[in-house]
Amino acid sequence: MAFRPRLLRTLLTAGIAASLAGLAGTVAAAEAPVARPWMNASLSPDQRADLLVKAMTQDEKFRLLRSEYGADFEGQHNKPAGSLGTAGFIPAMPRLGLPAIHETDAGQGVARPLLFGDGDTALPAGLAVAASFDPQVAHAGGAMIGREAHRMGFAVLLAGGVNLARDPRNGRNFEYAGEDPLLAGRIVGAAIAGIQSEHEVSTVKHYAMNDLETARTTLSANIDETAAHESDLLAFEIAIADGHPGSVMCSYNRINSVYACENDWLLNQVLKRDWKYPGFVMSDWGAVHSAAKSALAGLDQESAGERFDKEVYFDQPLREAVAKGEVPPSRIDDMVHRILRSFFAVGAFEHPAKVAPIDYAADAKVSQRAAEEGIVLLRNQDHALPLVGAVGQVAVIGSHADVGVTTGGGSSGVKPRGGSPVTGVAPTAWPGPKVYQRSSPMQAIARRNGGKVAYASGEDIAAAAKLAAQSKVAIVFAEQWTAESFDVPTMDLPGNQDALIAAVARANPHTIVVLETNGAVKMPWLDQVQGVLEAWYPGANGGEAIARVLFGEVDASGRLPVTWPKDESQLPRPTIPGAGLAAIGIPPQGQPQQDIDYDIEGADVGYRWFEKRHLEPLFAFGHGLSYTTFAYGTPKLENHDGTISVSVRVTNTGKRAGVAVPQLYVAPPQGDTTHRLAGWQRVSLKPGESRDVRIAASPVRLAHYDAARHGWVRDAGRYRFQLGTDATSMLKADLSMGLPAATCTIEACTPVAH
Ligand code: BGC
């Protein structure tokens, strides 16, 4: 059958993703009809992939094994014809009716490069979504992104960041979901399921142990196998079990010396053999170092190798490796099969991405809800918040809060709708530009306060303090911009912000601080201010969300998905040599380490590290104040056919509607007996209302990883459960239960027969 290049070019240069149905129809009209048995939707994704693989030529198969960089790059790389100009592109294969595959970053919204269009809807930071402790909000956010992407013509979303927050200075924490593998896995799994409910393939990334950015493309993350399974890998295992992502993105770094994307243990053994993962592994951009070795270790697709790798390993070099017999042809078929089955599994063939109008106003509301649920009230002296009644003049100070809210940088950055209200802020080039979402906290406050607001930029500390002194309330917005590709060397708020807050607090006893940060920062001024809200990077309607929480239109209901250390001395690694970014005035000091010893804390990430070392954090994991108060009845521990749960009556004893987030922690009888989160509930209650809630314990949290069996094992013995309002504040109740030995999966434990 003749291939029609001109017809194809016309279709591709139309600048939209050719829809499968449309393309197939056009080609079929112009050429002899091709039997396409794989279009039979009653067959399983695997059966359909098998049929399609059988119909493919060797060239067609190889065309699926690599994407191209989809954008122009500084004169060195031209956007391929037909590409939408984003991170990844694979041309259409009209003979088979396969449309072009367009991939875009989508960690917190569709992150088309910043030059495109009018911008897309930004969700709040992943940490904010995690702070909601609400998988439904994560799912709704994922579905929103999936819908937008589908209506722009994208088929693959580079989303699902689930690396654990081992260190508050990691520049990418805001893209992830905190320090606890159960919380992170559940939240990110729900977000992935949301994306894929819109017929988009989502990744989960960056697999694995890419927990620091400094020297990320060369460093070796060294960690014991069991500790890895009980920490970062568990987060991936849960996110994959819950979300079924079509793809796993292997990371830049090495793990125990071997690069992630050619790591047989990580890809073949853990992911594909032990977890039975049926989808495909795609590389991060510039993470491939070999052809045969990578393919044999389990990498299925190389991303943008012509731009980021030394060579395009998965083209000529891999073809040669097959010709030489180093890689069996069956492995090539397996790679292609895995890629195709992921598209069948999400219904991409029946519901191809197609350009269509987007309801940005509705989508911004989805983002706003996530921000409102994720904002954490850390401190509230004398019930300074919420601002109610005649508030009087409010001074809004700092962080461009007159026009917008802060974002993080790097590939996940979403172009603000309407453009950034502040431009030219360093860094203006990668991993910037630093942009602000166009949602003004000041205006949102003014709308609730009869317009009685005034703004000071904070650059002139004396002027800001003067304004604060003349106002009833002072609200200082403090920001910390971080991004992919670097870590910050300290937990300090950058610039003069600590001095600014201290000066404002001296001038006005009613000072509230709103943090827009990548996570925990030092707060030398904490005792001098009345209130502190952590708003993370709050997304498209962030200003509105912050004001709604400040004024008590919604409860402050977020809870910390990370432990908040007092300072760096409490961290497993007090320094990160080489961290910093000269372009933002924090030049790196010292040589980056090429070996990171993660065995210092091992699986004791975050609150478990603090428990083991008897350290007292500034704020515990799970902490977050509400505007109301709650009482808890006597909790009851129950075992229903092997499902362990705690039931408790929760009562709102205050005068405002509010949200309680009781958390269930468990300590095993032997071995490592530190507590770990086993479950939680987010409970909305009106004043005076009571509800009986049941919190099921995640089976895998009662187990430990057994390296010899490649799986989870629960020891026989007495398990101690505790109900807490954070990882260090527990209700007094004796909740323990004897359990038999069992083997476990993420979903269930099966007692071992004697
Ligand atoms: C990032 C990935 C991203 C990719 C494509 C890499 O630098 O680590 O998260 O998906 O670029 O933009």
Side-chain angles (χ1 to χ4, degrees):
M1 187 186 354
F3 180 58
R4 302 284 167 94
R6 193 169 313 139
L7 169 63
L8 175 61
R9 214 174 308 132
T10 316
L11 280 170
L12 295 179
T13 49
I16 55 168
S19 86
L20 180 73
L23 184 57
T26 316
V27 173
E31 300 174 352
V34 187
R36 290 177 182 159
W38 56 86
M39 290 304 289
N40 178 354
S42 68
L43 300 175
S44 72
D46 285 309
Q47 289 170 323
R48 296 176 73 180
D50 277 343
L51 290 167
L52 184 42
V53 172
K54 274 205 194 94
M56 293 174 90
T57 65
Q58 187 77 340
D59 279 345
E60 286 165 344
K61 290 176 187 171
F62 267 87
R63 204 56 205 84
L64 271 189
L65 300 187
R66 64 186 175 94
S67 62
E68 290 169 63
Y69 189 52
D72 290 324
F73 182 74
E74 294 173 2
Q76 298 164 24
H77 180 282
N78 291 331
K79 171 163 115 61
S83 162
L84 294 179
T86 51
F89 168 71
I90 296 175
M93 295 186 212
R95 188 184 80 85
L96 300 165
L98 297 182
I101 297 173
H102 301 277
E103 304 175 345
T104 184
D105 278 292
Q108 300 155 93
V110 181
R112 297 183 289 179
L114 296 176
L115 26 133
F116 275 88
D118 270 344
D120 304 313
T121 306
L123 280 175
L127 275 175
V129 178
S132 75
F133 276 65
D134 188 348
Q136 281 174 16
V137 143
H139 190 282
M144 181 277 279
I145 294 177
R147 226 167 20 246
E148 287 198 358
H150 199 261
R151 287 162 174 255
M152 295 170 197
F154 294 105
V156 178
L157 295 190
L158 312 173
V162 76
N163 298 83
L164 290 192
R166 285 176 181 265
D167 192 311
R169 297 160 299 182
N170 172 23
R172 282 188 108 165
N173 279 342
F174 71 91
E175 295 188 46
Y176 304 143
E179 71 190 24
D180 180 76
L182 179 66
L183 177 66
R186 284 267 130 79
I187 291 290
V188 172
I192 291 167
I195 290 173
Q196 296 200 156
S197 71
E198 298 291 332
H199 313 294
E200 296 285 304
V201 166
S202 176
T203 61
V204 65
K205 66 187 186 183
H206 308 87
Y207 188 63
M209 302 305 306
N210 186 177
D211 297 345
L212 287 172
E213 290 295 290
T214 308
R216 66 175 173 171
T217 56
T218 51
L219 72 77
S220 177
N222 299 331
I223 187 163
D224 163 77
E225 183 184 338
T226 299
H229 270 283
E230 293 182 355
S231 56
D232 285 62
L233 295 189
L234 178 56
F236 277 95
E237 196 177 352
I238 294 171
I240 290 170
D242 285 7
H244 305 286
S247 183
V248 171
M249 187 190 291
C250 52
S251 56
Y252 286 120
N253 53 290
R254 293 176 289 141
I255 297 152
N256 299 328
S257 307
V258 184
Y259 277 111
C261 293
E262 54 185 41
N263 195 314
D264 180 75
W265 168 73
L266 189 69
L267 306 182
N268 276 342
Q269 298 179 39
V270 173
L271 179 69
K272 292 181 176 177
R273 182 195 65 197
D274 299 345
W275 298 351
K276 303 183 176 48
Y277 178 66
F280 68 105
V281 177
M282 75 162 73
S283 72
D284 202 341
W285 273 233
V288 184
H289 302 271
S290 60
K293 185 176 181 193
S294 298
L296 292 174
L299 177 66
D300 300 301
Q301 190 181 67
E302 178 181 13
S303 305
E306 83 292 354
R307 157 92 181 82
F308 293 97
D309 293 327
K310 279 215 184 85
E311 54 182 315
V312 184
Y313 293 103
F314 275 19
D315 194 6
Q316 220 41 48
L318 187 55
R319 289 176 197 254
E320 281 162 25
V322 174
K324 280 195 245 158
E326 287 168 16
V327 174
S330 59
R331 171 65 186 127
I332 302 297
D333 284 358
D334 173 49
M335 294 155 87
V336 177
H337 174 104
R338 286 171 171 278
I339 296 166
L340 292 171
R341 71 93 61 204
S342 290
F343 289 91
F344 285 118
V346 297
F349 282 72
E350 284 65 55
H351 307 276
K354 217 172 22 217
V355 172
I358 292 169
D359 186 346
Y360 284 110
D363 289 354
K365 289 285 177 200
V366 175
S367 169
Q368 184 180 324
R369 180 171 164 221
E372 287 171 6
E373 286 199 7
I375 290 173
V376 185
L377 179 59
L378 295 172
R379 175 179 170 88
N380 194 14
Q381 289 304 104
D382 308 322
H383 303 287
L385 293 175
L387 301 172
V388 284
V391 173
Q393 165 92 5
V394 175
V396 174
I397 297 167
S399 299
H400 303 286
D402 52 338
V403 289
V405 289
T406 309
T407 65
S411 58
S412 70
V414 178
K415 180 175 181 181
R417 294 220 25 93
S420 176
V422 188
T423 53
V425 187
T428 48
W430 172 263
K434 181 178 179 189
V435 296
Y436 289 77
Q437 288 292 329
R438 195 174 273 276
S439 175
S440 157
M442 183 183 81
Q443 282 170 21
I445 292 166
R447 280 195 290 278
R448 291 163 171 84
N449 190 36
K452 284 187 268 170
V453 294
Y455 179 72
S457 74
E459 273 159 48
D460 179 341
I461 292 182
K466 190 167 166 212
L467 176 67
Q470 293 159 355
S471 307
K472 275 271 191 309
V473 179
I475 306 180
V476 187
F477 287 77
E479 65 177 340
Q480 178 200 37
W481 183 85
T482 67
E484 173 181 349
S485 81
F486 76 99
D487 305 309
V488 288
T490 69
M491 289 172 57
D492 293 316
L493 273 173
N496 65 4
Q497 297 181 100
D498 283 333
L500 171 69
I501 296 167
V504 169
R506 271 195 304 276
N508 188 325
H510 305 300
T511 293
I512 309 291
V513 175
V514 177
L515 296 170
E516 296 172 272
T517 64
N518 180 47
V521 290
K522 277 184 282 194
M523 299 196 227
W525 33 260
L526 184 62
D527 292 342
Q528 293 139 46
V529 302
Q530 271 193 320
V532 180
L533 278 183
E534 171 56 282
W536 319 100
Y537 303 140
N541 276 12
E544 189 67 13
I546 290 169
R548 296 223 332 131
V549 175
L550 285 172
F551 283 81
E553 290 167 23
V554 288
D555 191 20
S557 65
R559 301 292 186 270
L560 287 178
V562 284
T563 302
W564 199 290
K566 287 179 180 149
D567 59 34
E568 303 84 1
S569 72
Q570 294 187 313
L571 297 170
R573 283 160 293 279
T575 60
I576 309 176
L581 183 70
I584 57 168
I586 311 176
Q589 305 287 320
Q591 279 303 310
Q593 285 172 332
Q594 292 303 324
D595 282 279
I596 306 289
D597 181 7
Y598 284 120
D599 284 327
I600 296 173
E601 77 276 31
D604 295 321
V605 180
Y607 61 87
R608 291 173 54 170
W609 167 260
F610 277 71
E611 181 182 343
K612 268 224 168 118
R613 296 284 166 132
H614 308 291
L615 293 167
E616 200 190 311
L618 194 55
F619 300 109
F621 173 89
H623 168 75
L625 302 170
S626 156
Y627 293 142
T628 186
T629 47
F630 301 98
Y632 294 87
T634 308
K636 255 185 28 214
L637 183 60
E638 292 159 348
N639 184 346
H640 294 282
D641 299 329
T643 302
I644 321 289
S645 61
V646 169
S647 300
V648 67
R649 169 158 289 212
V650 189
T651 305
N652 181 345
T653 50
K655 294 196 175 63
R656 309 179 65 89
V659 178
V661 186
Q663 300 150 36
L664 178 62
Y665 293 86
V666 62
Q670 61 207 43
D672 181 354
T673 55
T674 40
H675 282 83
R676 61 215 48 183
L677 183 70
W680 68 88
Q681 279 282 349
R682 208 186 135 92
V683 198
S684 273
L685 294 169
K686 298 195 191 76
E689 188 184 352
S690 293
R691 187 151 345 127
D692 293 321
V693 300
R694 169 175 292 176
I695 306 176
S698 155
V700 80
R701 254 24 248 289
L702 277 59
H704 60 86
Y705 187 76
D706 184 332
R709 304 173 66 134
H710 308 299
W712 296 94
V713 169
R714 190 181 71 195
D715 292 330
R718 264 203 113 61
Y719 286 74
R720 288 173 298 123
F721 294 84
Q722 283 185 301
L723 211 51
T725 51
D726 65 43
T728 59
S729 312
M730 304 294 170
L731 302 180
K732 286 209 171 38
D734 177 25
L735 298 172
S736 65
M737 183 181 276
L739 291 169
T743 55
C744 303
T745 63
I746 300 302
E747 282 89 20
C749 292
T750 314
V752 181
H754 288 289

mmCIF file of all heavy atoms in Angstrom, residues 626-653:
data_model
loop_
_atom_site.group_PDB
_atom_site.id
_atom_site.type_symbol
_atom_site.label_atom_id
_atom_site.label_comp_id
_atom_site.label_asym_id
_atom_site.label_seq_id
_atom_site.Cartn_x
_atom_site.Cartn_y
_atom_site.Cartn_z
ATOM 1 N N SER A 626 -7.409 23.859 63.012
ATOM 2 C CA SER A 626 -8.721 24.123 62.421
ATOM 3 C C SER A 626 -9.278 25.360 63.122
ATOM 4 O O SER A 626 -8.768 25.768 64.168
ATOM 5 C CB SER A 626 -9.610 22.903 62.660
ATOM 6 O OG SER A 626 -10.967 23.254 62.626
ATOM 7 N N TYR A 627 -10.334 25.957 62.570
ATOM 8 C CA TYR A 627 -10.989 27.076 63.254
ATOM 9 C C TYR A 627 -12.007 26.590 64.283
ATOM 10 O O TYR A 627 -12.634 27.379 64.966
ATOM 11 C CB TYR A 627 -11.672 27.998 62.255
ATOM 12 C CG TYR A 627 -10.702 28.741 61.358
ATOM 13 C CD1 TYR A 627 -11.002 28.971 60.019
ATOM 14 C CD2 TYR A 627 -9.500 29.216 61.863
ATOM 15 C CE1 TYR A 627 -10.127 29.666 59.198
ATOM 16 C CE2 TYR A 627 -8.614 29.903 61.054
ATOM 17 C CZ TYR A 627 -8.930 30.129 59.718
ATOM 18 O OH TYR A 627 -8.061 30.812 58.919
ATOM 19 N N THR A 628 -12.203 25.274 64.334
ATOM 20 C CA THR A 628 -13.117 24.750 65.343
ATOM 21 C C THR A 628 -12.374 23.715 66.195
ATOM 22 O O THR A 628 -11.169 23.529 66.037
ATOM 23 C CB THR A 628 -14.386 24.177 64.681
ATOM 24 O OG1 THR A 628 -15.312 23.812 65.702
ATOM 25 C CG2 THR A 628 -14.086 22.977 63.814
ATOM 26 N N THR A 629 -13.098 23.087 67.095
ATOM 27 C CA THR A 629 -12.472 22.081 67.956
ATOM 28 C C THR A 629 -13.242 20.769 67.811
ATOM 29 O O THR A 629 -14.433 20.773 67.487
ATOM 30 C CB THR A 629 -12.531 22.520 69.436
ATOM 31 O OG1 THR A 629 -13.860 22.969 69.719
ATOM 32 C CG2 THR A 629 -11.554 23.634 69.716
ATOM 33 N N PHE A 630 -12.551 19.685 68.076
ATOM 34 C CA PHE A 630 -13.167 18.368 67.915
ATOM 35 C C PHE A 630 -12.968 17.537 69.180
ATOM 36 O O PHE A 630 -11.960 17.668 69.865
ATOM 37 C CB PHE A 630 -12.543 17.626 66.731
ATOM 38 C CG PHE A 630 -12.684 18.358 65.428
ATOM 39 C CD1 PHE A 630 -11.644 19.135 64.926
ATOM 40 C CD2 PHE A 630 -13.873 18.313 64.715
ATOM 41 C CE1 PHE A 630 -11.777 19.838 63.744
ATOM 42 C CE2 PHE A 630 -14.020 19.012 63.535
ATOM 43 C CZ PHE A 630 -12.972 19.779 63.044
ATOM 44 N N ALA A 631 -13.948 16.694 69.443
ATOM 45 C CA ALA A 631 -13.784 15.713 70.516
ATOM 46 C C ALA A 631 -13.881 14.328 69.900
ATOM 47 O O ALA A 631 -14.608 14.123 68.919
ATOM 48 C CB ALA A 631 -14.877 15.898 71.564
ATOM 49 N N TYR A 632 -13.128 13.409 70.470
ATOM 50 C CA TYR A 632 -13.126 12.043 69.955
ATOM 51 C C TYR A 632 -13.683 11.109 71.020
ATOM 52 O O TYR A 632 -13.344 11.224 72.202
ATOM 53 C CB TYR A 632 -11.694 11.624 69.583
ATOM 54 C CG TYR A 632 -11.156 12.428 68.416
ATOM 55 C CD1 TYR A 632 -10.517 13.654 68.620
ATOM 56 C CD2 TYR A 632 -11.329 11.981 67.115
ATOM 57 C CE1 TYR A 632 -10.053 14.400 67.542
ATOM 58 C CE2 TYR A 632 -10.871 12.716 66.032
ATOM 59 C CZ TYR A 632 -10.229 13.928 66.258
ATOM 60 O OH TYR A 632 -9.777 14.660 65.193
ATOM 61 N N GLY A 633 -14.549 10.191 70.610
ATOM 62 C CA GLY A 633 -15.073 9.186 71.523
ATOM 63 C C GLY A 633 -14.018 8.107 71.768
ATOM 64 O O GLY A 633 -12.855 8.252 71.386
ATOM 65 N N THR A 634 -14.435 7.023 72.414
ATOM 66 C CA THR A 634 -13.483 5.934 72.666
ATOM 67 C C THR A 634 -13.300 5.125 71.383
ATOM 68 O O THR A 634 -14.268 4.572 70.858
ATOM 69 C CB THR A 634 -14.036 5.002 73.770
ATOM 70 O OG1 THR A 634 -14.384 5.833 74.879
ATOM 71 C CG2 THR A 634 -13.007 3.968 74.180
ATOM 72 N N PRO A 635 -12.075 5.082 70.880
ATOM 73 C CA PRO A 635 -11.878 4.349 69.622
ATOM 74 C C PRO A 635 -11.982 2.836 69.827
ATOM 75 O O PRO A 635 -11.656 2.326 70.909
ATOM 76 C CB PRO A 635 -10.465 4.747 69.196
ATOM 77 C CG PRO A 635 -9.833 5.428 70.344
ATOM 78 C CD PRO A 635 -10.860 5.720 71.381
ATOM 79 N N LYS A 636 -12.455 2.164 68.811
ATOM 80 C CA LYS A 636 -12.599 0.702 68.863
ATOM 81 C C LYS A 636 -11.814 0.078 67.725
ATOM 82 O O LYS A 636 -11.950 0.485 66.571
ATOM 83 C CB LYS A 636 -14.080 0.329 68.705
ATOM 84 C CG LYS A 636 -14.691 -0.099 70.013
ATOM 85 C CD LYS A 636 -16.127 -0.611 69.949
ATOM 86 C CE LYS A 636 -16.613 -1.251 68.688
ATOM 87 N NZ LYS A 636 -18.032 -0.989 68.426
ATOM 88 N N LEU A 637 -10.995 -0.896 68.086
ATOM 89 C CA LEU A 637 -10.201 -1.590 67.077
ATOM 90 C C LEU A 637 -10.966 -2.832 66.644
ATOM 91 O O LEU A 637 -11.433 -3.602 67.479
ATOM 92 C CB LEU A 637 -8.855 -1.971 67.709
ATOM 93 C CG LEU A 637 -7.811 -2.640 66.845
ATOM 94 C CD1 LEU A 637 -7.406 -1.769 65.669
ATOM 95 C CD2 LEU A 637 -6.573 -2.961 67.708
ATOM 96 N N GLU A 638 -11.123 -3.029 65.350
ATOM 97 C CA GLU A 638 -11.944 -4.141 64.855
ATOM 98 C C GLU A 638 -11.200 -4.910 63.769
ATOM 99 O O GLU A 638 -10.366 -4.345 63.065
ATOM 100 C CB GLU A 638 -13.252 -3.596 64.263
ATOM 101 C CG GLU A 638 -14.162 -2.999 65.316
ATOM 102 C CD GLU A 638 -15.178 -2.024 64.733
ATOM 103 O OE1 GLU A 638 -15.039 -1.633 63.561
ATOM 104 O OE2 GLU A 638 -16.101 -1.658 65.472
ATOM 105 N N ASN A 639 -11.562 -6.175 63.678
ATOM 106 C CA ASN A 639 -11.002 -7.017 62.629
ATOM 107 C C ASN A 639 -12.170 -7.687 61.906
ATOM 108 O O ASN A 639 -12.798 -8.595 62.431
ATOM 109 C CB ASN A 639 -10.076 -8.074 63.272
ATOM 110 C CG ASN A 639 -9.383 -8.933 62.232
ATOM 111 O OD1 ASN A 639 -9.762 -8.940 61.053
ATOM 112 N ND2 ASN A 639 -8.362 -9.669 62.669
ATOM 113 N N HIS A 640 -12.496 -7.193 60.727
ATOM 114 C CA HIS A 640 -13.574 -7.788 59.938
ATOM 115 C C HIS A 640 -12.958 -8.604 58.825
ATOM 116 O O HIS A 640 -12.446 -8.040 57.848
ATOM 117 C CB HIS A 640 -14.458 -6.703 59.314
ATOM 118 C CG HIS A 640 -15.227 -5.909 60.319
ATOM 119 N ND1 HIS A 640 -16.361 -6.378 60.931
ATOM 120 C CD2 HIS A 640 -15.020 -4.673 60.823
ATOM 121 C CE1 HIS A 640 -16.813 -5.468 61.776
ATOM 122 N NE2 HIS A 640 -16.023 -4.426 61.733
ATOM 123 N N ASP A 641 -12.975 -9.910 58.986
ATOM 124 C CA ASP A 641 -12.418 -10.807 57.964
ATOM 125 C C ASP A 641 -11.022 -10.394 57.528
ATOM 126 O O ASP A 641 -10.721 -10.357 56.329
ATOM 127 C CB ASP A 641 -13.334 -10.855 56.731
ATOM 128 C CG ASP A 641 -14.708 -11.379 57.084
ATOM 129 O OD1 ASP A 641 -14.790 -12.196 58.015
ATOM 130 O OD2 ASP A 641 -15.681 -10.946 56.438
ATOM 131 N N GLY A 642 -10.224 -10.008 58.479
ATOM 132 C CA GLY A 642 -8.840 -9.661 58.141
ATOM 133 C C GLY A 642 -8.630 -8.192 57.832
ATOM 134 O O GLY A 642 -7.494 -7.744 57.710
ATOM 135 N N THR A 643 -9.715 -7.426 57.656
ATOM 136 C CA THR A 643 -9.551 -5.987 57.454
ATOM 137 C C THR A 643 -9.551 -5.312 58.819
ATOM 138 O O THR A 643 -10.546 -5.353 59.543
ATOM 139 C CB THR A 643 -10.702 -5.408 56.593
ATOM 140 O OG1 THR A 643 -10.701 -6.091 55.357
ATOM 141 C CG2 THR A 643 -10.531 -3.911 56.373
ATOM 142 N N ILE A 644 -8.423 -4.728 59.172
ATOM 143 C CA ILE A 644 -8.290 -4.112 60.494
ATOM 144 C C ILE A 644 -8.698 -2.649 60.375
ATOM 145 O O ILE A 644 -8.258 -1.945 59.465
ATOM 146 C CB ILE A 644 -6.828 -4.150 60.993
ATOM 147 C CG1 ILE A 644 -6.146 -5.463 60.637
ATOM 148 C CG2 ILE A 644 -6.737 -3.797 62.473
ATOM 149 C CD1 ILE A 644 -6.585 -6.659 61.357
ATOM 150 N N SER A 645 -9.530 -2.199 61.295
ATOM 151 C CA SER A 645 -9.898 -0.784 61.259
ATOM 152 C C SER A 645 -10.133 -0.265 62.668
ATOM 153 O O SER A 645 -10.330 -1.034 63.612
ATOM 154 C CB SER A 645 -11.151 -0.575 60.402
ATOM 155 O OG SER A 645 -12.216 -1.298 60.953
ATOM 156 N N VAL A 646 -10.099 1.054 62.759
ATOM 157 C CA VAL A 646 -10.422 1.711 64.024
ATOM 158 C C VAL A 646 -11.648 2.570 63.781
ATOM 159 O O VAL A 646 -11.702 3.333 62.808
ATOM 160 C CB VAL A 646 -9.243 2.570 64.522
ATOM 161 C CG1 VAL A 646 -9.665 3.461 65.670
ATOM 162 C CG2 VAL A 646 -8.094 1.668 64.963
ATOM 163 N N SER A 647 -12.655 2.407 64.657
ATOM 164 C CA SER A 647 -13.860 3.243 64.558
ATOM 165 C C SER A 647 -13.837 4.231 65.702
ATOM 166 O O SER A 647 -13.458 3.886 66.824
ATOM 167 C CB SER A 647 -15.127 2.401 64.700
ATOM 168 O OG SER A 647 -15.153 1.461 63.684
ATOM 169 N N VAL A 648 -14.270 5.428 65.406
ATOM 170 C CA VAL A 648 -14.287 6.443 66.450
ATOM 171 C C VAL A 648 -15.371 7.470 66.131
ATOM 172 O O VAL A 648 -15.656 7.751 64.955
ATOM 173 C CB VAL A 648 -12.897 7.123 66.593
ATOM 174 C CG1 VAL A 648 -12.542 7.951 65.379
ATOM 175 C CG2 VAL A 648 -12.815 7.961 67.869
ATOM 176 N N ARG A 649 -15.990 7.981 67.178
ATOM 177 C CA ARG A 649 -16.984 9.041 66.998
ATOM 178 C C ARG A 649 -16.265 10.389 67.064
ATOM 179 O O ARG A 649 -15.543 10.667 68.032
ATOM 180 C CB ARG A 649 -18.050 8.940 68.082
ATOM 181 C CG ARG A 649 -18.955 10.147 68.135
ATOM 182 C CD ARG A 649 -20.254 9.834 68.802
ATOM 183 N NE ARG A 649 -21.054 8.979 67.944
ATOM 184 C CZ ARG A 649 -22.393 9.008 67.895
ATOM 185 N NH1 ARG A 649 -23.072 9.830 68.666
ATOM 186 N NH2 ARG A 649 -23.045 8.205 67.104
ATOM 187 N N VAL A 650 -16.458 11.206 66.047
ATOM 188 C CA VAL A 650 -15.829 12.531 66.019
ATOM 189 C C VAL A 650 -16.932 13.570 66.138
ATOM 190 O O VAL A 650 -17.941 13.504 65.423
ATOM 191 C CB VAL A 650 -15.053 12.765 64.704
ATOM 192 C CG1 VAL A 650 -14.221 14.045 64.792
ATOM 193 C CG2 VAL A 650 -14.165 11.582 64.371
ATOM 194 N N THR A 651 -16.767 14.522 67.051
ATOM 195 C CA THR A 651 -17.773 15.564 67.269
ATOM 196 C C THR A 651 -17.136 16.939 67.107
ATOM 197 O O THR A 651 -16.049 17.190 67.646
ATOM 198 C CB THR A 651 -18.358 15.454 68.696
ATOM 199 O OG1 THR A 651 -18.855 14.125 68.869
ATOM 200 C CG2 THR A 651 -19.477 16.460 68.926
ATOM 201 N N ASN A 652 -17.809 17.783 66.376
ATOM 202 C CA ASN A 652 -17.372 19.178 66.265
ATOM 203 C C ASN A 652 -17.903 19.923 67.490
ATOM 204 O O ASN A 652 -19.104 20.152 67.622
ATOM 205 C CB ASN A 652 -17.921 19.790 64.962
ATOM 206 C CG ASN A 652 -17.486 21.236 64.780
ATOM 207 O OD1 ASN A 652 -17.021 21.881 65.726
ATOM 208 N ND2 ASN A 652 -17.654 21.747 63.571
ATOM 209 N N THR A 653 -17.023 20.269 68.400
ATOM 210 C CA THR A 653 -17.441 20.892 69.658
ATOM 211 C C THR A 653 -17.358 22.421 69.607
ATOM 212 O O THR A 653 -17.574 23.084 70.612
ATOM 213 C CB THR A 653 -16.549 20.392 70.815
ATOM 214 O OG1 THR A 653 -15.178 20.532 70.421
ATOM 215 C CG2 THR A 653 -16.816 18.933 71.135
#
